[in-house]
Amino acid sequence: MHSGAGGTTFVEFCGERFPVVSGHPFYIGREATLTVDDNPYLHRRFLVLHDENAMWWLTNLGTHLSATVTAADLGFTATLGPGARMPLVFGRTSVVFSAGPTTYELQVQAGTPVGAPPHGDTGVGGDTTRGVPNFTESQKLAVLVLAEAILTRDGTGASAIPSSAQAAARLGWSLTKFNRKLDNVCDKLDLIGVPGMRAGGGRLASNRRLRLVEYGLSTGLIGRGDLPMLDRELSRNMPPDLH
C-alpha cells in the first residue's frame, strides 16, 4: 500500500503495512487481523482500530494490558487502559505495549474513513459520555476552534492544533478572553478528574490543548455539525464596516 494522505489508513508492524478498511474492524493481538506474536501474555484480541462518527478510533479490548499512544511531533502521549478508547486525530501515531517480557511497537496512519458522514454531531455512545459537564456556548467554542482543522481534515501533525493566538483570532476574541475561557473549561474538567488540564507553559500548554481536543471528540462534546458556530461567532465579533 502507498502511505499517507487522504483516505489511506494502515497499520505498520515490523516493516510490513496492513491496510485498514472502513466498516471492517481491524483487530491486533495474539489471534487477530494482525497477529503480533504467539505470546501467551498477550490477549487474543487486544486492540481494535475502527471507524465511527467520521473518525478512526483505537479501543483497548484487554483486561490487564495498557498501550501508550504517542504523536511524537506534537509531544503528545496518552495511556490507553483496559476498556478505554480514543480518536486517532494526529495522522501518524505510535502505539507501544508490553505483554510479559516483550514490548511491541506499531505505527498507525489514520486517513479519512471512506464514506464518512458529512458531520459527526450525533455524539458518541457508550460509557465515554458519562461525566460530561455542562459548558456554556463560549466554552464549547473554545474547544471547537482547537479541533477545527481536524474536523475538516485540513490539518495534520503540527498544523492540526492552532496556537491560542490563532484560535482567538479565528473567533474574533482577544487573546485574554480565549485564555480565560480555556482556563474555565480546564477547571471544569479537572474537577471531574480529566488528566492534563491544569498545565501551563511550553509543551505543557500545547499538551493541554491537545487533551482538550481529544476529550471533546471522544465524548461527543463537539462534532462536524458544530463547525458553523465558528463563522457565526467571528461574524458577530467583526466591526460593522467589515461585514
Side-chain angles (χ1 to χ4, degrees):
M1 285 197 58
H2 298 287
S3 65
T8 302
T9 299
F10 60 83
V11 174
E12 191 169 70
F13 179 66
C14 291
E16 287 190 71
R17 289 183 178 179
F18 303 86
V20 182
V21 181
S22 292
H24 297 271
F26 185 93
Y27 295 96
I28 299 166
R30 193 172 84 238
E31 297 175 11
T33 315
L34 171 56
T35 298
V36 173
D37 192 7
D38 186 17
N39 181 341
Y41 296 97
L42 183 62
H43 297 294
R44 285 183 172 84
R45 289 184 170 185
F46 170 43
L47 302 171
V48 60
L49 183 63
H50 56 103
D51 59 314
E52 181 182 324
N53 290 333
M55 283 180 287
W56 288 106
W57 296 76
L58 186 67
T59 298
N60 185 340
L61 301 174
T63 57
H64 62 274
L65 299 179
S66 295
T68 300
V69 181
T70 303
D73 59 333
L74 296 177
F76 173 82
T77 300
T79 299
L80 191 69
R85 68 176 188 163
M86 66 182 295
L88 298 182
V89 296
F90 306 121
R92 193 168 180 86
T93 306
S94 171
V95 182
V96 178
F97 54 92
S98 296
T102 308
T103 297
Y104 305 93
E105 180 174 4
L106 52 88
Q107 306 287 324
V108 180
Q109 175 70 42
T112 305
V114 176
H119 56 77
D121 58 342
T122 54
V124 178
D127 294 343
T128 53
T129 55
R130 288 184 182 174
V132 180
N134 292 321
F135 291 102
T136 65
E137 181 178 335
S138 59
Q139 290 171 344
K140 182 175 178 177
L141 280 165
V143 180
L144 180 63
V145 71
L146 294 176
E148 180 182 19
I150 290 168
L151 288 169
T152 58
R153 297 293 171 182
D154 287 339
T156 56
S159 68
I161 309 293
S163 67
S164 293
Q166 290 169 329
R170 175 70 177 92
L171 295 166
W173 293 358
S174 68
L175 181 58
T176 300
K177 177 178 179 178
F178 178 78
N179 284 331
R180 186 171 69 248
K181 297 298 181 183
L182 205 63
D183 287 343
N184 291 341
V185 173
C186 290
D187 286 344
K188 280 190 174 184
L189 296 180
D190 183 68
L191 285 174
I192 63 170
V194 178
M197 292 295 115
R198 287 181 181 262
R203 172 180 287 185
L204 292 175
S206 176
N207 251 341
R208 180 175 73 164
R209 295 198 303 276
L210 286 165
R211 290 189 183 278
L212 278 173
V213 170
E214 179 195 3
Y215 176 85
L217 294 172
S218 64
T219 60
L221 169 66
I222 54 173
R224 291 187 179 183
D226 298 315
L227 287 171
M229 293 173 61
L230 298 175
D231 285 333
R232 288 198 297 267
E233 181 66 16
L234 179 61
S235 178
R236 196 158 46 226
N237 293 312
M238 286 172 61
D241 57 330
L242 295 180
H243 279 274

